[in-house]
Amino acid sequence: MALTASGCDAPDWELSGIEQLPLPGGADLGDDPYEITAEFTDVLSLVPQSAVKVNDVAVGRVTRVNLAEDDWTARVTMRINRGVRLPADAVARLEQSSLLGEKYIQLAAPEPRPDTARPAPGARPAGAAHPVAAPAGPLTDGAHIPVERTNRNPEVEEVFGALSLLLNGGGIAQIKTITTELGRALGGNEPEARSLLRRLNTLVTSLDGNKAAITAALDGVNRLSATLATRRQSISTVLTGLSPGLKALERQRTALLTMLRSLDTLSAVAVTTVDKSKDDVIADLKALTPTLRALADSGRALPDSLQVLLTYPFTDEVLRGVRGDYLNVYLDIAAVPGTEIVPALTPPDENPPPAEDTPPAQDTPPGGNPPQGQGAAPPQGTAQGRSTTPGEGGARRSGTAPLPLPFPSAGRAG
């Protein structure tokens, strides 16, 4: 039966079957409902005139169920009261009113993700290049809900099939075996089981308290893995170069084992020797005690003695007589009056007191030379002139000058 009616004020509508007749007590669509579509992977036994609900309140009805253009999904067309406000990203679920009740479509706003907070419109999250766009407007006439935002509840047949698989396929038998074995294992071991549970609780609590450290360690391992990944070629080269060394160790394994056995024998002999000589070593150390105590009591004298011993026979006192490569000698030499000294020697005292055992100086000594007090000098090669023999007519003069040995020829006779 098909009826077609037209009028000036009423839209055209076509009655193709009795299922298009509105049921009493259905949803109030109002004077101007809007139409939306939704795609489902499986609509099961959904039929036209089924209810469309929001929060379990009927707000519309299904008008058409047909195959989508891809021939793999079902497209459901719905009419909803215009007074119902839903976001443009609403979701649709195919549900059932009771165990054997009718199918209907539940529309709802998308649930926010618990791990991320939705930023305010216009705000720019960290790292984002552009501000977050404001959410889409309300669901309007002609909107489409894709298959990604639709799902369905399991059917009663599916639940019974899974239950029959559990009952007949062995799930209960495995559970019985597990409970029986647990009972046997825990029987008589209740204190140990409680201790194990307490330790597990302590372990889990410690792990929970060190979440930050564990996370940091895992991040470090991740960075290490990334670094190793960038150096894969170097690691491969190192491993390739280790291969000859490992082969050489493999060839010398017998020699290495022999060496280790010899070391083991040597260590056993050394331990035996130490054990047998332990008493003698202790006795020797006790015998050395007085000597060591005497050395300790000597204090500073011992280092000073060692210092002198190392310089024997040339001690520090030798340095006063030895200068460089020559030996300083101090001589008293009697010179003939009139002897010239080169270089000239200046006496320490220009007017020394006359000696009691010295006769007066002669005015003119033999040979025509002036007296020693008037410019006379000691003989050549002398370091000091002194008249010590009576009758030589020279005045006593004293002076010192270092002369190297052997004596150099540095003067001439006057």
Side-chain angles (χ1 to χ4, degrees), residues 277-349:
S277 62
K278 179 175 63 176
D279 297 335
D280 296 338
V281 172
I282 294 175
D284 293 341
L285 292 177
K286 290 181 178 179
L288 285 175
T289 301
T291 304
L292 296 177
R293 184 178 295 110
L295 289 176
D297 294 339
S298 64
R300 183 62 185 172
L302 179 61
D304 295 341
S305 301
L306 293 176
Q307 181 178 1
V308 174
L309 179 63
L310 294 176
T311 59
Y312 180 82
F314 302 101
T315 61
D316 293 340
E317 297 299 329
V318 178
L319 298 179
R320 300 180 181 180
V322 178
R323 304 291 176 87
D325 297 334
Y326 297 92
L327 178 66
N328 296 327
V329 179
Y330 301 89
L331 302 176
D332 290 337
I333 302 175
V336 177
T339 303
E340 181 180 1
I341 298 176
V342 180
L345 177 66
T346 301
D349 190 0

